[in-house]
Short mmCIF file of all heavy atoms in Angstrom, two decimals:
data_model
loop_
_atom_site.label_atom_id
_atom_site.label_comp_id
_atom_site.label_asym_id
_atom_site.label_seq_id
_atom_site.Cartn_x
_atom_site.Cartn_y
_atom_site.Cartn_z
N GLY A 510 -0.22 11.05 16.78
CA GLY A 510 -0.66 12.41 16.46
C GLY A 510 -1.16 12.58 15.05
O GLY A 510 -1.42 13.70 14.64
N LYS A 511 -1.22 11.55 14.29
CA LYS A 511 -1.52 11.58 12.80
C LYS A 511 -2.82 10.69 12.57
O LYS A 511 -3.17 9.90 13.38
CB LYS A 511 -0.41 11.08 11.92
CG LYS A 511 0.91 11.85 12.14
CD LYS A 511 0.86 13.29 11.80
CE LYS A 511 2.22 14.03 11.93
NZ LYS A 511 2.14 15.36 11.54
N GLU A 512 -3.43 11.00 11.45
CA GLU A 512 -4.53 10.27 10.99
C GLU A 512 -4.13 8.97 10.40
O GLU A 512 -2.96 8.87 9.87
CB GLU A 512 -5.37 11.08 10.06
CG GLU A 512 -6.06 12.31 10.63
CD GLU A 512 -7.06 11.95 11.65
OE1 GLU A 512 -7.85 11.06 11.40
OE2 GLU A 512 -7.18 12.71 12.61
N ARG A 513 -4.85 8.03 10.36
CA ARG A 513 -4.60 6.70 9.80
C ARG A 513 -4.50 6.88 8.22
O ARG A 513 -5.30 7.58 7.61
CB ARG A 513 -5.54 5.62 10.16
CG ARG A 513 -5.19 4.26 9.75
CD ARG A 513 -5.92 3.15 10.50
NE ARG A 513 -7.40 3.27 10.35
CZ ARG A 513 -8.28 2.50 11.14
NH1 ARG A 513 -7.79 1.69 12.03
NH2 ARG A 513 -9.56 2.73 10.95
N GLU A 514 -3.53 6.22 7.67
CA GLU A 514 -3.30 6.42 6.27
C GLU A 514 -3.08 5.01 5.57
O GLU A 514 -2.67 4.13 6.18
CB GLU A 514 -2.10 7.33 5.93
CG GLU A 514 -0.76 6.75 6.47
CD GLU A 514 0.43 7.52 6.03
OE1 GLU A 514 0.35 8.49 5.14
OE2 GLU A 514 1.48 7.29 6.48
N PHE A 515 -3.45 5.06 4.26
CA PHE A 515 -3.22 3.89 3.41
C PHE A 515 -1.81 3.55 3.18
O PHE A 515 -0.96 4.49 2.96
CB PHE A 515 -3.97 4.03 2.15
CG PHE A 515 -3.58 3.05 1.03
CD1 PHE A 515 -4.12 1.76 1.07
CD2 PHE A 515 -2.72 3.37 0.08
CE1 PHE A 515 -3.86 0.79 0.14
CE2 PHE A 515 -2.40 2.43 -0.88
CZ PHE A 515 -3.00 1.12 -0.92
N VAL A 516 -1.34 2.34 3.19
CA VAL A 516 0.00 1.89 2.89
C VAL A 516 0.15 1.09 1.66
O VAL A 516 0.78 1.48 0.67
CB VAL A 516 0.65 1.23 4.09
CG1 VAL A 516 2.07 0.83 3.81
CG2 VAL A 516 0.65 2.01 5.36
N ALA A 517 -0.59 0.01 1.62
CA ALA A 517 -0.55 -1.00 0.46
C ALA A 517 -1.72 -1.93 0.54
O ALA A 517 -2.31 -2.13 1.60
CB ALA A 517 0.76 -1.71 0.44
N THR A 518 -2.06 -2.43 -0.62
CA THR A 518 -3.09 -3.50 -0.71
C THR A 518 -2.85 -4.44 -1.81
O THR A 518 -2.02 -4.12 -2.76
CB THR A 518 -4.48 -2.70 -0.90
OG1 THR A 518 -5.52 -3.71 -0.62
CG2 THR A 518 -4.57 -2.25 -2.35
N ILE A 519 -3.33 -5.57 -1.72
CA ILE A 519 -3.22 -6.63 -2.77
C ILE A 519 -4.52 -7.28 -2.96
O ILE A 519 -5.27 -7.62 -2.02
CB ILE A 519 -2.11 -7.56 -2.43
CG1 ILE A 519 -1.95 -8.64 -3.57
CG2 ILE A 519 -2.44 -8.29 -1.07
CD1 ILE A 519 -0.67 -9.48 -3.36
N THR A 520 -4.99 -7.39 -4.19
CA THR A 520 -6.14 -8.19 -4.57
C THR A 520 -6.06 -9.65 -4.63
O THR A 520 -4.84 -10.17 -4.57
CB THR A 520 -6.78 -7.70 -5.90
OG1 THR A 520 -5.95 -8.16 -6.98
CG2 THR A 520 -6.85 -6.16 -5.92
N TRP A 521 -7.13 -10.46 -4.67
CA TRP A 521 -7.09 -11.82 -4.72
C TRP A 521 -6.24 -12.34 -5.98
O TRP A 521 -5.63 -13.41 -5.89
CB TRP A 521 -8.48 -12.39 -4.76
CG TRP A 521 -8.52 -13.87 -4.69
CD1 TRP A 521 -8.75 -14.77 -5.76
CD2 TRP A 521 -8.54 -14.69 -3.55
NE1 TRP A 521 -8.77 -16.07 -5.29
CE2 TRP A 521 -8.62 -16.05 -3.89
CE3 TRP A 521 -8.40 -14.46 -2.21
CZ2 TRP A 521 -8.64 -17.15 -2.97
CZ3 TRP A 521 -8.39 -15.52 -1.26
CH2 TRP A 521 -8.45 -16.80 -1.69
N THR A 522 -6.32 -11.56 -7.03
CA THR A 522 -5.64 -12.00 -8.28
C THR A 522 -4.16 -11.53 -8.28
O THR A 522 -3.49 -11.81 -9.33
CB THR A 522 -6.36 -11.38 -9.48
OG1 THR A 522 -6.57 -10.03 -9.34
CG2 THR A 522 -7.77 -12.10 -9.61
N GLY A 523 -3.81 -10.80 -7.32
CA GLY A 523 -2.34 -10.39 -7.15
C GLY A 523 -2.02 -8.99 -7.59
O GLY A 523 -0.90 -8.57 -7.64
N ASN A 524 -2.97 -8.15 -7.85
CA ASN A 524 -2.69 -6.78 -8.19
C ASN A 524 -2.40 -5.99 -6.90
O ASN A 524 -3.03 -6.18 -5.98
CB ASN A 524 -3.86 -6.08 -8.92
CG ASN A 524 -4.18 -6.75 -10.29
OD1 ASN A 524 -3.32 -7.04 -11.02
ND2 ASN A 524 -5.46 -6.99 -10.48
N THR A 525 -1.34 -5.19 -7.06
CA THR A 525 -0.89 -4.44 -5.87
C THR A 525 -0.90 -3.00 -6.04
O THR A 525 -0.78 -2.48 -7.16
CB THR A 525 0.57 -4.90 -5.50
OG1 THR A 525 1.48 -4.65 -6.64
CG2 THR A 525 0.67 -6.35 -5.15
N TYR A 526 -1.04 -2.30 -4.98
CA TYR A 526 -1.16 -0.78 -4.91
C TYR A 526 -0.40 -0.30 -3.70
O TYR A 526 -0.50 -0.94 -2.67
CB TYR A 526 -2.60 -0.34 -4.93
CG TYR A 526 -3.38 -0.98 -6.07
CD1 TYR A 526 -4.08 -2.09 -5.92
CD2 TYR A 526 -3.55 -0.25 -7.26
CE1 TYR A 526 -4.82 -2.67 -6.89
CE2 TYR A 526 -4.27 -0.89 -8.27
CZ TYR A 526 -4.95 -2.02 -8.16
OH TYR A 526 -5.70 -2.49 -9.13
N TYR A 527 0.33 0.79 -3.84
CA TYR A 527 1.18 1.36 -2.78
C TYR A 527 0.99 2.81 -2.68
O TYR A 527 0.70 3.50 -3.72
CB TYR A 527 2.58 1.04 -2.90
CG TYR A 527 2.98 -0.36 -3.03
CD1 TYR A 527 3.10 -1.11 -4.28
CD2 TYR A 527 3.29 -1.08 -1.88
CE1 TYR A 527 3.36 -2.47 -4.35
CE2 TYR A 527 3.74 -2.38 -2.02
CZ TYR A 527 3.75 -3.15 -3.13
OH TYR A 527 4.09 -4.46 -3.14
N THR A 528 1.01 3.39 -1.60
CA THR A 528 1.14 4.79 -1.38
C THR A 528 2.49 5.28 -1.77
O THR A 528 3.46 4.47 -1.70
CB THR A 528 0.82 5.23 0.04
OG1 THR A 528 0.70 6.68 0.08
CG2 THR A 528 1.97 4.80 1.00
N ASP A 529 2.62 6.40 -2.39
CA ASP A 529 3.85 6.87 -2.97
C ASP A 529 5.06 6.88 -2.01
O ASP A 529 6.23 6.51 -2.44
CB ASP A 529 3.69 8.31 -3.49
CG ASP A 529 2.87 8.45 -4.72
OD1 ASP A 529 2.67 7.38 -5.37
OD2 ASP A 529 2.38 9.54 -5.05
N SER A 530 4.86 7.04 -0.75
CA SER A 530 5.93 7.18 0.22
C SER A 530 6.62 5.91 0.49
O SER A 530 7.71 5.77 0.98
CB SER A 530 5.45 7.85 1.54
OG SER A 530 4.52 6.97 2.18
N VAL A 531 5.98 4.76 0.06
CA VAL A 531 6.57 3.46 0.39
C VAL A 531 6.99 2.68 -0.83
O VAL A 531 7.57 1.68 -0.79
CB VAL A 531 5.69 2.50 1.26
CG1 VAL A 531 5.35 3.30 2.51
CG2 VAL A 531 4.52 2.08 0.47
N LYS A 532 6.75 3.20 -2.01
CA LYS A 532 7.00 2.55 -3.39
C LYS A 532 8.54 2.39 -3.40
O LYS A 532 9.30 3.28 -3.15
CB LYS A 532 6.46 3.33 -4.49
CG LYS A 532 5.01 3.35 -4.61
CD LYS A 532 4.56 4.13 -5.86
CE LYS A 532 3.06 4.12 -5.99
NZ LYS A 532 2.67 4.97 -7.18
N GLY A 533 8.99 1.19 -3.79
CA GLY A 533 10.34 0.81 -3.89
C GLY A 533 10.96 0.35 -2.60
O GLY A 533 12.03 -0.23 -2.66
N ARG A 534 10.24 0.45 -1.55
CA ARG A 534 10.75 0.12 -0.18
C ARG A 534 9.96 -0.98 0.43
O ARG A 534 10.47 -1.94 1.02
CB ARG A 534 10.81 1.19 0.77
CG ARG A 534 11.71 2.38 0.37
CD ARG A 534 11.91 3.39 1.42
NE ARG A 534 10.65 4.01 1.86
CZ ARG A 534 10.18 3.99 3.09
NH1 ARG A 534 10.81 3.33 4.09
NH2 ARG A 534 9.00 4.56 3.40
N PHE A 535 8.63 -0.96 0.20
CA PHE A 535 7.76 -1.99 0.76
C PHE A 535 7.23 -2.85 -0.29
O PHE A 535 7.06 -2.52 -1.51
CB PHE A 535 6.50 -1.28 1.51
CG PHE A 535 6.89 -0.56 2.76
CD1 PHE A 535 8.16 -0.34 3.11
CD2 PHE A 535 5.87 -0.10 3.59
CE1 PHE A 535 8.46 0.38 4.29
CE2 PHE A 535 6.15 0.59 4.71
CZ PHE A 535 7.42 0.84 5.04
N THR A 536 6.93 -4.13 0.09
CA THR A 536 6.41 -5.12 -0.90
C THR A 536 5.28 -5.88 -0.15
O THR A 536 5.52 -6.49 0.91
CB THR A 536 7.43 -6.11 -1.43
OG1 THR A 536 8.40 -5.38 -2.06
CG2 THR A 536 6.75 -7.06 -2.37
#
């Protein structure tokens, strides 16, 4: 019942980005 949302991404060089709700829990 929800829209698709961003969770995390990683670039070729290893830079990572996370949505706030998963920071500290997901890697």
Side-chain angles (χ1 to χ4, degrees):
K511 305 293 183 180
E512 295 294 320
R513 187 159 59 188
E514 65 174 348
F515 167 78
V516 177
T518 192
I519 184 169
T520 68
W521 186 261
T522 53
N524 294 316
T525 59
Y526 306 88
Y527 300 90
T528 190
D529 288 343
S530 64
V531 307
K532 288 181 179 178
R534 299 190 299 121
F535 290 10
T536 302

